[in-house]
Amino acid sequence: MSTVEPFRPTPGAAKTAALAEARRLAGQVLVDGRLQCPPSGRALPVENPADETVIAEAARCDARDVAWAVEAAQRAYPAWSRRPARERGDLLRRAADRLAQEAEPLARLMALETGNALATQCRPEVASAIELLHFYAGLWSELKGRTLPWDPGTFAYVTREPLGVVGAIIPWNAPLLLMMAKLGPALAAGNTVVLKSAEQAPLTVLRAAEILQEVLPPGVANAISGYGEEAGKPLAEHPLVRKITFTGSCAVGKQILHYAADKLCPVTLELGGKSPNIVMDDADLEQVVSGVIVGMRFTRQGQSCSAGTRIYLHEKVYEEVVSRTVAELGKLRIGDPLDEQTQMGAIISREQFDRVTAYVEMARATPGARILCGGRRAAGLEKGYFYTPTLIEGVPHTSPVCTDEIFGPVALLYRFRDFDEALHLANKTDFGLAGALWTRDLSRALSFAEKIQAGFVQVNQYAGPRAGLSYGGYKMSGLGREYSLESMLEHFTLTKTVIVNYGS
Ligand code: ADP
C-alpha cells in the first residue's frame, strides 16, 4: 500500500508564504462581514519571536473601534439568535470544514507570529481548534429546555436563550484553540461575538475569522486586535456586551471582574496555574520521563496555563527520573519554528524572555538552589527568544520562583518521602488549575483525585484539554469551565422559566 506524503515546503518557502499572508492582513480587522481597517486606523507592530523582525503592522483598536465592532455584533444578534439551532450548528460545521482545508497555512502563520514550532505545537493546535469547533457545532441539539410539574391547569417549562453580544479576550499562547474555545459555545448557543486577540499574536486569529466569514452571516463573529487597556478594557466595559469570556493572567482576570461588576455581566475566567506533577516510587518510570516533559509543555516553551511546573519526585526514584529527564531534554531540537525538525521554538517576546531569565537568575542566586539543566539562552541562536529547557532543584516553596507562574520553560524539582507531604505541598499554592499523579496504586490515585485542589486532574498522564472534557480552575486559576457541553449551557445561555395558567 502506498501513502501520499503531504507537500511540505522548505522552512524558507513556508516563511515567505506566511509573511505574504501577514502583510495582506496588516492593519485590518474582521468586522461586519469583511476585512477592513477600523475607524481609528492606528497600528501596532507584530514581531517574529524567532528573529526579532517586525512581520506586519496589525490594527491597534481603541474604544471607538471597539464600539463600532460591538454595534455590528448587536445588529447581527436578532437574526442569529432566532435562527434554528440546527442551522447554526450546520453553519459552524461548514466553517470548521473550511478551516480544515486551510489548516496548513494557518499553522505556518501561527508559527511565524508566535514562535511556536510548526511540527510539535502549531499543527496539533490547529487540529484541536477545528475539533473543538466541530464539537460545538454538533451540540446544537442540546440547547433544549425542560418541563416542570406544577399546579393542575398550568404548564411550566424552562427554555434556554442566548445572552447577546459576547466579548472575548484571549492571550497569545494558543490563539486558535482559545479562539474556538470562545467562539464555538458562544455562537452555537445563538450569541454573537467580538473577539479581541492578543497584541503579540493577532494574525492567525484574523485569518481564521476571515475563513469563518465565508460561511457565517456578517457581524456574527468579529475579530479585532489591540492592546489590553486600549481595546480589551472598552470591550469588557461596553454596555452592549452581555457576557465576557477571558483567558489570560490572573491580574487582568481580576480587573475584568471589576469591569463587569458595574453592569452585572457574567464572566468566565481561565487564568494561570503553577500545577503539581507528583511521581510515586511505584510509577512506570518510562512513562514518567516523557510525562514530565509533556506535562511541562517544553515543546511549547512552557507557555501553557496547565503546565506541570512543580515536579514532586519520591526520593526512591528522584535520581533516576532527574537524570533520564535531563538526558531527554538535552535531545530536544530548538530552533526555527518553521523547520520540520524543530521540537521547541522561541518564547513569544523580549519581555517574556527577560521575565523567564529574571526568575532563573533569582533561582541561581538562591542558596541551596541548583540549576540541573538549561538556565540560559540556546547556544548558537543569538537572534530570537530561544531559551533552553530548564530544571531547578532546591528552590524554597516560599520563593517567587515557586509561587509565581513563570510561563516559560522552567520546572522546579522537589524530593519527598511520603505521599501526604507531597500532596500538602502540591496544594500549597494560590492556583488550582491542573495536577497529576503517577502511580500503579489505584487507591492512592483515587485519594489524590479526591484531595488535590485543582480543576483538571490526571493519573499516569499529563495531557492538555480536549473537546468534551470540562476544563477550568479552582482558587485563583479562574471561574467557570470550558471545552464541554456544560460550559456552553452554563456560560453562554440564560434559562427562562415560563408558567402558563391555562385554567380548568
Ligand atoms: P499574558 O500575560 O498572557 O499576556 P494578559 O492577561 O496580560 O496575559 O493578556 C491576555 C489578554 O488580555 C490579551 O489579549 C491582552 O491584550 C488583554 N488585556 C491585558 N490587559 C487588559 C485590560 N486591562 N483589560 C482588558 N484586557 C486586557
Side-chain angles (χ1 to χ4, degrees), residues 408-476:
V410 182
L412 307 179
L413 298 168
Y414 295 97
R415 194 187 298 257
F416 70 89
R417 191 166 292 165
D418 78 48
F419 172 70
D420 289 338
E421 173 199 354
L423 185 68
H424 170 74
L425 292 170
N427 280 332
K428 220 170 150 223
T429 167
D430 291 338
F431 295 111
L433 190 50
L437 179 77
W438 300 76
T439 183
R440 289 188 169 100
D441 179 340
L442 181 63
S443 103
R444 180 80 79 206
L446 291 176
S447 160
F448 167 76
E450 181 190 321
K451 291 175 185 155
I452 189 76
Q453 294 157 11
F456 197 68
V457 176
Q458 300 179 65
V459 176
N460 295 332
Q461 64 163 40
Y462 205 122
R466 286 289 297 269
L469 293 170
S470 254
Y471 177 78
Y474 278 31
K475 302 193 274 187
M476 298 301 272

Side-chain angles (χ1 to χ4, degrees), residues 243 246 253 257 267-271 471-482 491:
K243 159 84 195 183
F246 171 83
L257 266 187
V267 173
T268 304
L269 300 176
E270 209 63 73
L271 308 178
Y471 177 78
Y474 278 31
K475 302 193 274 187
M476 298 301 272
S477 289
L479 293 175
R481 298 290 178 265
E482 294 194 296
H491 298 301

Side-chain angles (χ1 to χ4, degrees), residues 169-170 172 196-199 228-229 232-233 246 249 252 255 259:
I169 300 174
I170 58 171
W172 44 263
K196 190 196 87 66
S197 53
E199 52 272 35
E229 280 281 330
K233 183 170 187 276
F246 171 83
S249 63
V252 176
Q255 281 177 294
Y259 306 150

